[in-house]
Amino acid sequence: MEFFERFAIPHPSPIIYASMVAIGITLLAIIAGLTFFKKWGYLWREWLTTVDHKRIGIMYLISALLMLFRGGVDALMMRAQLATPEAQLLDSQHYNEIFTTHGVVMIIFMAMAFIIALMNFVVPLQIGARDVAFPRLNALSFWLYFMGAMLFNLSFVIGGSPSSGWTSYFPLAGNEFSPSVGTNYYMIAIQIAGIGTLITGINFIVTILKMRAPGMKLMKMPMFTWSALITNLIITFAFPVLTVALAMGTMDRLFGTQFFTTGNGGMDMLWANLFWVWGHPEVYILVLPAFGIYSEIISTFAKRNLYGYKSMVASMVIISLLSFVVWVHHFFTMGQGAMVNSIFSITTMAIAVPTGIKIFNWLFTLYKGSIRFTVPMMYSLGFLPIFTIGGVTGVMLGMSAADYQYHNTMFLVAHFHLVIIPGVVFAMLAGLTYWWPKMFGFMLNERIGKWAFWFISVGTCVAFFPMFISGLDGQARRMYTYSESTGFGFWNMLSFVGAVALAIGFIIIVYNIYYSTRYASRDIGSDPWDARSLEWATHTPVPEYNFATIPEVDSSEAFWDSKYNGHKLFKGKLKEIHMPNNSGVPFIMSALFFVLGFSFIFSIWIGVIVSLLGICACLMHRSFEKDHGRHISLEEVEKTESELRGGK
Amino acid sequence: MKIKWMILAAILTVLTVLTGCEPLAVLDPKGPQAQTQADVILLSIAIMSFIVIAVFAILIYMLVKYRASKQPEDYKPPHIEGNFWVEAICVGIPVLIVAYLSFVSVESNYKVEATPEGYDEEPLVVYASSSDWKWHFSYPEENIETLNYLYVPTDRPLEFRLYSYGPISAFWIPQLGGQKYAMADMVTTLHLAADVPGEYSGRNANFSGEGFAEQTFNVNAVSPDEFDEWVEEVQTTADPITEDEFEELLEPGHLGQQTFTGTHLEFMPAPEGEHGGHNHGGESEESHEEHSDQSDDEHSDHSEHDHDH
């Protein structure tokens, strides 16, 4: 029995028991459903083994939405606990676990997955490619991410969740102050997902650099592709730092090394530095693709080309460089002195300049346009004012002397939520609504979508503006309770109301998906928004080879030019098409990574050895395998094409 | 869209009004450092509001003027590449603003990182150390130690030497000035001063585990005479602190306010100089400070010895 004791939850509560039951029932239901409808084969052939970037994108999307709800429930519980002074809903340990998992889930498993979902689906289409450069690696990326996410969520019911914050500062996260396995989950689940992300980074850089349609010079790429390129460059430079930091942290926790301890020559500040050397670029990894999405949407619905294309590109390049030289602003208060703080204060505020250029370019894209208020456009227009407020408070935080007062307070919490929610979440909802018809062949209901937009944007303001005030009044972040005499009660209640509005907004989105799936028209053609870039030039639904003939491009808005300016996109004749084969290896290998991670977390060394051997076997299998892909014959292509054209 | 602007405007008004009539701790400074910080905060709010208003104004103008419903059916928006002068202005103005704010930022950095000026007396040195989830305050010159409360004289610079017996904590008294980390393997220095007598609340601002929310302390800022009286009273009435007793105080948990004579520094010195966790022989922060005379000597005496490890 001693062996099994390690899996027990150190701080059990009714919520956790309820989730155990819920997880069990859901799993059983899925297994029973798949068996009953005889869908195991379908699931394996069409999804688990797929290497198609569109399907991988959709799987990322579904996972991201699931994680959004997991992280959202965490957020609601936190706001409910803080809504009144001295509330008893959660005790300290649970509150600490919840804000930790909220941060990790939202950043690593929700936002990252969401942007990678959209990049996966859109980028190859936008550059006129048939898939990404390394389709099988792409599948591996997804499954590593998925297994990492599942492993992390398992912590809730087996062994206990991490509780030292999503930043996991040592020595708090070390064995002395966090003896439970929670932080092992943090170190290892993020590691596994992070390897997947790093692979994505390399994959997309190669894809965008090598696989663009003829004529698409770098400066003729659509803005979303540009943002994806820069984002993946940042990923490739930033994620190795996280990989190393997590590996060192894991060794500290499992093998008694002393990298981040406070004795024996270890240095706790090293973790904070490494974490934020990755962590700050990570912010731009999230927000740059969002900027790309807004660029696409604003120009589509203003019916105008994007204003200042060159300065948009330049500003992203500058942001990506600056993002690596500002990390110290996350701990101005660590005592590095006036000189160091001054340098990082200036680099931090400098980021406002390229970001400002982007804001003004979007505003000028509206100039002389013909603005249609569709749901994606409304998110983009809502983003501009809220993000501006979030952004300028970032400049305020960048003034290091004043940061001594903002740091670790609700003011900071308000700032980064008002950057990330309009900057990333709005963009993802906008992108989801915008590309939904391309993904699924029908449109989301606009009227219901607008309701959701209003709930979410007003909810965001009501939830986070009060935090500026309570922060300036001295409310530190991460406090699970506060006394009535502090006077924080009113502001926190207001935040809770806003959080509920946000939750309603997301429920409306779910309802919208259900409603539109049932009732929306399937007869929407391939270009329902009258859009401008290549992903709309192919059929809906997109055939597995994307484009029967590769388009030829001579501007950043080739599809628009082909519709209105007489540009001919498809010149070549139909030929047989070379496509990659499906493979189950990425899934199996990632499942082995799951076992490896789980064994590491609980120090089950036999599991570690067996799964490592399995992973090596998978790698060797790939090395010795002869797989030249397959060819779709000309007849089949012609058949598919005529069916899709007839379906229009 | 109009409803939204009205809501936003209402929120902004509420924000301004409330900030105006009910002073928020950070904007109600009682000492020079907090004053500097409040000034920087208010200045940056003013400048940033200007930017926010500019963006809002342009956005509203564009949305009202160029909405599709106001355009003729066959209106075709023009193709506009970009304009050098427009973009130069969009870069130029932010650059000027950031340059000005950088100047303010650097100036205020050096202010809050130095002993506040305009006081005749030498700073009062207090070692503030955190343990799960308490604050220990040692007054080496007065030979006094308190738990979870501070007595400080007004009109005299205060020099807090911060360190921790556990996770990273942050020592923060909002009305006297911003926070700084207290860490286990080195000592950081926070310069404050109180101008107005009164009771202020202080807390650990950096999350440090289960009891973090309640890790608070009281600050009594009193006139120099009253402070001397308090010191004398403590020295005559309080019991001396012993190593065993201090070990017990370090156990995780919450405790009320306590007072001792003597300081724990005698038997458990702060992690500075030869006791530092990772002394780099002269690079550590204290050696830059002018006022750390005592520890500085210690420091240079032993720095070579530390290198041998």
Short mmCIF file of all heavy atoms in Angstrom, two decimals, chain A residues 22-54:
data_model
loop_
_atom_site.label_atom_id
_atom_site.label_comp_id
_atom_site.label_asym_id
_atom_site.label_seq_id
_atom_site.Cartn_x
_atom_site.Cartn_y
_atom_site.Cartn_z
N ALA A 22 -16.26 13.12 -11.91
CA ALA A 22 -16.61 13.67 -13.21
C ALA A 22 -15.63 13.18 -14.28
O ALA A 22 -16.05 12.77 -15.38
CB ALA A 22 -16.60 15.19 -13.15
N ILE A 23 -14.33 13.20 -13.96
CA ILE A 23 -13.33 12.76 -14.94
C ILE A 23 -13.55 11.29 -15.27
O ILE A 23 -13.55 10.88 -16.44
CB ILE A 23 -11.90 12.98 -14.40
CG1 ILE A 23 -11.60 14.48 -14.33
CG2 ILE A 23 -10.86 12.28 -15.28
CD1 ILE A 23 -10.30 14.82 -13.66
N GLY A 24 -13.81 10.48 -14.23
CA GLY A 24 -14.06 9.06 -14.45
C GLY A 24 -15.24 8.83 -15.35
O GLY A 24 -15.17 8.06 -16.34
N ILE A 25 -16.34 9.51 -15.06
CA ILE A 25 -17.56 9.33 -15.86
C ILE A 25 -17.33 9.76 -17.30
O ILE A 25 -17.72 9.07 -18.25
CB ILE A 25 -18.73 10.13 -15.23
CG1 ILE A 25 -19.12 9.49 -13.89
CG2 ILE A 25 -19.93 10.16 -16.17
CD1 ILE A 25 -20.18 10.25 -13.13
N THR A 26 -16.64 10.92 -17.48
CA THR A 26 -16.40 11.40 -18.84
C THR A 26 -15.58 10.38 -19.63
O THR A 26 -15.89 10.07 -20.78
CB THR A 26 -15.64 12.74 -18.80
OG1 THR A 26 -16.21 13.54 -17.78
CG2 THR A 26 -15.71 13.47 -20.12
N LEU A 27 -14.53 9.87 -18.99
CA LEU A 27 -13.68 8.89 -19.68
C LEU A 27 -14.50 7.67 -20.09
O LEU A 27 -14.43 7.23 -21.23
CB LEU A 27 -12.54 8.46 -18.76
CG LEU A 27 -11.27 9.31 -18.81
CD1 LEU A 27 -10.23 8.78 -17.84
CD2 LEU A 27 -10.71 9.34 -20.23
N LEU A 28 -15.27 7.16 -19.13
CA LEU A 28 -16.11 5.99 -19.42
C LEU A 28 -17.06 6.29 -20.57
O LEU A 28 -17.23 5.49 -21.49
CB LEU A 28 -16.90 5.59 -18.18
CG LEU A 28 -16.14 4.73 -17.17
CD1 LEU A 28 -17.01 4.44 -15.96
CD2 LEU A 28 -15.68 3.42 -17.83
N ALA A 29 -17.67 7.49 -20.52
CA ALA A 29 -18.64 7.86 -21.56
C ALA A 29 -17.96 7.90 -22.92
O ALA A 29 -18.51 7.42 -23.92
CB ALA A 29 -19.26 9.20 -21.23
N ILE A 30 -16.75 8.48 -22.97
CA ILE A 30 -16.04 8.57 -24.26
C ILE A 30 -15.74 7.17 -24.78
O ILE A 30 -16.00 6.85 -25.95
CB ILE A 30 -14.74 9.39 -24.10
CG1 ILE A 30 -15.08 10.85 -23.83
CG2 ILE A 30 -13.88 9.27 -25.36
CD1 ILE A 30 -13.89 11.71 -23.47
N ILE A 31 -15.22 6.32 -23.88
CA ILE A 31 -14.87 4.96 -24.31
C ILE A 31 -16.12 4.21 -24.77
O ILE A 31 -16.14 3.60 -25.85
CB ILE A 31 -14.16 4.20 -23.16
CG1 ILE A 31 -12.79 4.84 -22.91
CG2 ILE A 31 -14.01 2.72 -23.50
CD1 ILE A 31 -12.12 4.35 -21.65
N ALA A 32 -17.20 4.30 -23.96
CA ALA A 32 -18.43 3.61 -24.32
C ALA A 32 -18.98 4.14 -25.64
O ALA A 32 -19.38 3.38 -26.52
CB ALA A 32 -19.46 3.78 -23.21
N GLY A 33 -18.96 5.47 -25.80
CA GLY A 33 -19.50 6.08 -27.01
C GLY A 33 -18.73 5.62 -28.24
O GLY A 33 -19.31 5.20 -29.24
N LEU A 34 -17.39 5.65 -28.14
CA LEU A 34 -16.57 5.25 -29.28
C LEU A 34 -16.82 3.79 -29.64
O LEU A 34 -16.90 3.43 -30.81
CB LEU A 34 -15.09 5.45 -28.96
CG LEU A 34 -14.61 6.90 -28.97
CD1 LEU A 34 -13.21 7.02 -28.40
CD2 LEU A 34 -14.61 7.45 -30.39
N THR A 35 -16.97 2.97 -28.60
CA THR A 35 -17.21 1.55 -28.86
C THR A 35 -18.58 1.34 -29.47
O THR A 35 -18.74 0.63 -30.46
CB THR A 35 -17.10 0.75 -27.55
OG1 THR A 35 -15.93 1.19 -26.86
CG2 THR A 35 -17.02 -0.73 -27.81
N PHE A 36 -19.59 1.98 -28.90
CA PHE A 36 -20.97 1.80 -29.34
C PHE A 36 -21.14 2.23 -30.79
O PHE A 36 -21.74 1.54 -31.60
CB PHE A 36 -21.92 2.57 -28.44
CG PHE A 36 -23.36 2.37 -28.79
CD1 PHE A 36 -24.03 1.20 -28.42
CD2 PHE A 36 -24.06 3.34 -29.50
CE1 PHE A 36 -25.35 1.01 -28.76
CE2 PHE A 36 -25.38 3.15 -29.84
CZ PHE A 36 -26.03 1.99 -29.46
N PHE A 37 -20.58 3.39 -31.13
CA PHE A 37 -20.74 3.88 -32.50
C PHE A 37 -19.66 3.34 -33.43
O PHE A 37 -19.54 3.78 -34.57
CB PHE A 37 -20.73 5.42 -32.51
CG PHE A 37 -21.93 6.02 -31.83
CD1 PHE A 37 -21.82 6.61 -30.58
CD2 PHE A 37 -23.18 5.98 -32.44
CE1 PHE A 37 -22.93 7.16 -29.96
CE2 PHE A 37 -24.29 6.53 -31.82
CZ PHE A 37 -24.17 7.11 -30.57
N LYS A 38 -18.85 2.42 -32.92
CA LYS A 38 -17.77 1.81 -33.71
C LYS A 38 -16.87 2.88 -34.34
O LYS A 38 -16.62 2.89 -35.54
CB LYS A 38 -18.35 0.90 -34.80
CG LYS A 38 -19.16 -0.24 -34.25
CD LYS A 38 -19.37 -1.31 -35.31
CE LYS A 38 -19.98 -2.57 -34.76
NZ LYS A 38 -21.33 -2.37 -34.15
N LYS A 39 -16.42 3.82 -33.54
CA LYS A 39 -15.64 4.93 -34.07
C LYS A 39 -14.16 4.81 -33.75
O LYS A 39 -13.39 5.73 -34.02
CB LYS A 39 -16.16 6.27 -33.51
CG LYS A 39 -17.51 6.69 -34.07
CD LYS A 39 -17.39 7.18 -35.50
CE LYS A 39 -18.72 7.72 -36.01
NZ LYS A 39 -18.74 7.88 -37.46
N TRP A 40 -13.73 3.72 -33.11
CA TRP A 40 -12.31 3.62 -32.74
C TRP A 40 -11.44 3.70 -33.98
O TRP A 40 -10.43 4.42 -33.99
CB TRP A 40 -12.04 2.31 -32.00
CG TRP A 40 -12.48 2.36 -30.58
CD1 TRP A 40 -13.58 1.77 -30.04
CD2 TRP A 40 -11.85 3.06 -29.50
NE1 TRP A 40 -13.69 2.05 -28.70
CE2 TRP A 40 -12.62 2.85 -28.35
CE3 TRP A 40 -10.70 3.85 -29.40
CZ2 TRP A 40 -12.30 3.38 -27.11
CZ3 TRP A 40 -10.38 4.40 -28.17
CH2 TRP A 40 -11.18 4.17 -27.04
N GLY A 41 -11.82 2.98 -35.01
CA GLY A 41 -11.03 2.97 -36.24
C GLY A 41 -10.97 4.35 -36.86
O GLY A 41 -9.91 4.84 -37.25
N TYR A 42 -12.14 4.99 -36.91
CA TYR A 42 -12.22 6.34 -37.48
C TYR A 42 -11.31 7.29 -36.71
O TYR A 42 -10.53 8.04 -37.30
CB TYR A 42 -13.67 6.81 -37.43
CG TYR A 42 -13.87 8.29 -37.65
CD1 TYR A 42 -13.84 8.81 -38.95
CD2 TYR A 42 -14.06 9.15 -36.58
CE1 TYR A 42 -14.01 10.17 -39.16
CE2 TYR A 42 -14.23 10.51 -36.79
CZ TYR A 42 -14.20 11.02 -38.07
OH TYR A 42 -14.35 12.35 -38.27
N LEU A 43 -11.41 7.20 -35.40
CA LEU A 43 -10.61 8.09 -34.56
C LEU A 43 -9.12 7.87 -34.83
O LEU A 43 -8.35 8.81 -35.00
CB LEU A 43 -10.92 7.82 -33.07
CG LEU A 43 -10.23 8.74 -32.08
CD1 LEU A 43 -10.80 10.14 -32.17
CD2 LEU A 43 -10.37 8.21 -30.66
N TRP A 44 -8.72 6.62 -34.90
CA TRP A 44 -7.31 6.30 -35.12
C TRP A 44 -6.86 6.74 -36.51
O TRP A 44 -5.87 7.44 -36.66
CB TRP A 44 -7.09 4.79 -34.92
CG TRP A 44 -5.68 4.37 -35.19
CD1 TRP A 44 -5.21 3.74 -36.30
CD2 TRP A 44 -4.54 4.56 -34.35
NE1 TRP A 44 -3.86 3.52 -36.21
CE2 TRP A 44 -3.42 4.03 -35.02
CE3 TRP A 44 -4.36 5.15 -33.09
CZ2 TRP A 44 -2.14 4.05 -34.47
CZ3 TRP A 44 -3.08 5.16 -32.55
CH2 TRP A 44 -1.99 4.63 -33.23
N ARG A 45 -7.60 6.37 -37.54
CA ARG A 45 -7.18 6.65 -38.91
C ARG A 45 -7.22 8.13 -39.24
O ARG A 45 -6.32 8.67 -39.87
CB ARG A 45 -8.06 5.89 -39.90
CG ARG A 45 -7.70 4.42 -40.07
CD ARG A 45 -8.49 3.82 -41.23
NE ARG A 45 -9.91 4.06 -41.13
CZ ARG A 45 -10.75 3.28 -40.44
NH1 ARG A 45 -10.29 2.23 -39.79
NH2 ARG A 45 -12.03 3.56 -40.38
N GLU A 46 -8.31 8.79 -38.83
CA GLU A 46 -8.53 10.16 -39.31
C GLU A 46 -7.93 11.22 -38.38
O GLU A 46 -7.71 12.35 -38.81
CB GLU A 46 -10.02 10.43 -39.48
CG GLU A 46 -10.73 9.48 -40.42
CD GLU A 46 -10.32 9.73 -41.87
OE1 GLU A 46 -10.07 10.89 -42.23
OE2 GLU A 46 -10.24 8.74 -42.63
N TRP A 47 -7.75 10.90 -37.12
CA TRP A 47 -7.31 11.95 -36.20
C TRP A 47 -6.03 11.62 -35.46
O TRP A 47 -5.08 12.38 -35.51
CB TRP A 47 -8.44 12.28 -35.19
CG TRP A 47 -9.61 12.87 -35.88
CD1 TRP A 47 -10.73 12.22 -36.31
CD2 TRP A 47 -9.77 14.23 -36.29
NE1 TRP A 47 -11.58 13.09 -36.95
CE2 TRP A 47 -11.02 14.33 -36.95
CE3 TRP A 47 -8.98 15.39 -36.17
CZ2 TRP A 47 -11.49 15.54 -37.48
CZ3 TRP A 47 -9.45 16.59 -36.69
CH2 TRP A 47 -10.69 16.65 -37.34
N LEU A 48 -5.97 10.47 -34.79
CA LEU A 48 -4.80 10.20 -33.96
C LEU A 48 -3.53 10.04 -34.80
O LEU A 48 -2.44 10.33 -34.34
CB LEU A 48 -5.01 8.93 -33.10
CG LEU A 48 -6.19 8.97 -32.14
CD1 LEU A 48 -6.15 7.77 -31.20
CD2 LEU A 48 -6.22 10.25 -31.32
N THR A 49 -3.68 9.57 -36.03
CA THR A 49 -2.49 9.35 -36.85
C THR A 49 -2.32 10.42 -37.93
O THR A 49 -1.41 10.33 -38.74
CB THR A 49 -2.56 7.98 -37.56
OG1 THR A 49 -3.73 7.98 -38.39
CG2 THR A 49 -2.67 6.85 -36.56
N THR A 50 -3.19 11.41 -37.95
CA THR A 50 -3.15 12.35 -39.06
C THR A 50 -1.88 13.21 -39.01
O THR A 50 -1.33 13.47 -37.93
CB THR A 50 -4.38 13.26 -39.04
OG1 THR A 50 -4.36 14.04 -40.24
CG2 THR A 50 -4.36 14.21 -37.85
N VAL A 51 -1.41 13.62 -40.19
CA VAL A 51 -0.31 14.58 -40.24
C VAL A 51 -0.77 15.84 -40.99
O VAL A 51 0.02 16.72 -41.29
CB VAL A 51 0.94 13.99 -40.92
CG1 VAL A 51 1.51 12.86 -40.09
CG2 VAL A 51 0.62 13.52 -42.33
N ASP A 52 -2.07 15.91 -41.26
CA ASP A 52 -2.64 17.04 -42.00
C ASP A 52 -2.67 18.28 -41.10
O ASP A 52 -3.26 18.26 -40.03
CB ASP A 52 -4.05 16.64 -42.46
CG ASP A 52 -4.71 17.73 -43.28
OD1 ASP A 52 -4.28 18.89 -43.18
OD2 ASP A 52 -5.67 17.41 -44.01
N HIS A 53 -2.06 19.38 -41.56
CA HIS A 53 -1.97 20.58 -40.71
C HIS A 53 -3.34 21.10 -40.32
O HIS A 53 -3.50 21.70 -39.25
CB HIS A 53 -1.17 21.67 -41.42
CG HIS A 53 -1.89 22.29 -42.58
ND1 HIS A 53 -2.58 23.46 -42.47
CD2 HIS A 53 -2.05 21.88 -43.87
CE1 HIS A 53 -3.11 23.76 -43.65
NE2 HIS A 53 -2.81 22.82 -44.51
N LYS A 54 -4.36 20.89 -41.17
CA LYS A 54 -5.69 21.42 -40.85
C LYS A 54 -6.31 20.65 -39.68
O LYS A 54 -6.89 21.24 -38.77
CB LYS A 54 -6.60 21.34 -42.08
CG LYS A 54 -6.05 22.14 -43.25
CD LYS A 54 -6.91 22.05 -44.48
CE LYS A 54 -6.85 20.70 -45.18
NZ LYS A 54 -5.51 20.40 -45.77
#
